[in-house]
Structures are given as C-alpha cells and as structure tokens.
Amino acid sequence: MKKYNKSASLIMVLALVIATMAGCGDDNKPAGSASGGGDNASYTIGICQQLEHPALDEATKGFQAAVEEKLGKDNVKFDLQNAQGEAANCSTIAAGFVASDVDLIMANATGSLQASAAATADIPIVATSVTDYATALDISDWTGSTGKNITGTSDLAPLEQQAAMIKEIVPDAKMVGLLYCSNEPNSIYQINKVKEELANMSIECKEYSAADSNEIQAVVSNAVKECDVLYIPTDNTMANNTEIVNNIATPAKIPVIAGEEGICKGCGVATLSISYYDIGYRAGEMAAEILKDGKDPKDMPIETAKEFKKLYNPTIAQALSITIPEGYDAIKTDEAE
C-alpha cells in the first residue's frame, strides 16, 4: 500500500512539472505577443491587401521595408495575402490570421481594415491606404486616434487643393463628373468633401457611381456625355479599372483629375498625389513601435502624408491638347519610357 502511494505521488509531481513547463511555452501567449523577447524576438505579421494595384503594392513594400529595418530581417515573417478586391476574401484572410495567432495584422486599404477590425479586438492592427478612419470604423466622436487595437496611416491628400486643381487644369469647366465606387465608404467621404469645395467655387458637379467594376463602362460612357471634366478620388475599384476609364474618356476628349498617381498614370491628366511607399513605410515603423517598444495602438494617432506632389500625365495631356501649368512633374508612362 505504501509502495503504491509513493508511485502515485511521483506521477503527480511529474505531471505538475510538465504542466508548468507547458505553461511557459508560446501556446499560451496572449494574442498579439511575440515569441521570444528582447532584440532577438521573432514576429509573424499577417498582411491583408485588399487588391493588387500599384498604389497598394507600394504601400506594402514600404511597410515591409520599415519592419525589416526596425526589427531585423531575420526576426520577422510576413504572411502576405491578397483579397483580389473581394470583401468576403478580406474576412476569410483576417479570420485566418486570428486563428494563426499572428503578432500583428497589417490591413492595406479600407476593406481589409474593416474585416480585420471585425475579426479581432485583441491583436494589434496597423492599417495604411485608408482615407478616413472615422468613416471606415464608424467612429462618431473622432479624436485623432481610434481608441481600439488599431492605428495606421492615411492616404488622404488635401481635397481642397485637388478641387482647385480641377479649375486650374480645366478653367472653363461648367460641369464636373464625380466618378467613384458606391461600395467604398472612403470614396464617398472624399466625394462629399470635393462637392463642398466645388460649390464654394460656384462649379456644378454631378455624381456618377458604380457598384462594382462591371458597371464602370456604362457609368463613364454616360458621364462623358454630360460633363467637361471628371474627378476620381483614391478609389480602389476605379484604380483597378483605369484602362476602361481611359478608353472612354480620352477619345471623348474629357480630362480626368485623379486622387493619386496610379490612377493618373492609367487614365488621368493631373493629380495632387502622396507617396504610397512613404505612408506604408511609416505604418511599418508604427508596427515596430508596437511590437518592440510596447506602444498601445489605441493611443497612437492616425498619421497622414507629409508631402504632396503635383503630377501630370504627358501622354494624355498631349492627346487632349491640354497645356499643363508650371509646377507639375511628369509621370513616366509606358508610352513615354
């Protein structure tokens, strides 16, 4: 009987030791915490990019470059996934990152941010290529930071200056067509702001919205019949379909003022643009501050671009016989290279 009790006690001790060792492993780490610690900690970052086009691609490159520089290339692993412009794919990707217990999620564009925010309130989220976070996250009492597990950088350019650019490039314009995707909340935000600025300049405007890429051709065909110039904000759907816009607007001799360089290169005549690489890079620095320095994203203000460039598309400007004012730099297009 005594022999049996001794064996049982030994088994209990061994079980306690094993349980204690398991409790120290990575399997029980809090969501968002990195494995290891100190300067040699290793991190896994899930990147959900809403779709593939030059602006978002540049933001992702900038983000990865900054993270590798700040954390060490050998200390970080990226799980980069592209949602191909589908909201359902964004949700699936974000849910997968949560199931994998990544240390941080980078959400590239509004749809990716919304899906990631819905998927987790614990894992830190750093977003980029998002125009207005209050709109994207439905925050009514905006203070500059989200108050959630979310921070990041905005791709918002000065909309009053973009509206002024419309008049500068097409001074005789009587009707401005505002072209955007109705399923992108941040596009709606920009359109409303530009409408206010155009009203202040006594310029009429009319909205032309497409629910998805299948409607763009019909919507643009209608717009060029009724307008003197079109304006496209930083809209992901339009950015992914600039060839359709260009094939209709340029032959109709209707210039397009674009919200960013990628759209301008594809179908526009001029833009006041930010660098998506730069805002992606800054988002990467913010991610490093969270992972390495322990900053809390809920207290980190959303940051905007510091520099803006006036750019023009020489190929389209020539095709439309538009003289570009001084102070604009030429975008390198395929025809010009």
Side-chain angles (χ1 to χ4, degrees), residues 129-150:
S129 312
V130 175
T131 303
D132 183 67
Y133 283 73
T135 299
L137 299 172
D138 194 23
I139 300 175
S140 58
D141 54 342
W142 182 249
T143 61
S145 56
T146 67
K148 305 173 184 287
N149 59 316
I150 298 165

Side-chain angles (χ1 to χ4, degrees), residues 18-31:
I18 292 171
T20 301
M21 292 176 64
C24 296
D26 286 343
D27 290 341
N28 291 322
K29 68 176 183 174

Side-chain angles (χ1 to χ4, degrees), residues 47-52 57 80-85 89 93:
I47 299 177
C48 179
Q49 182 170 320
Q50 188 167 323
L51 71 160
E52 188 174 356
D57 293 346
L80 172 57
Q81 297 191 40
N82 194 303
Q84 304 300 328
N89 291 345
I93 292 168

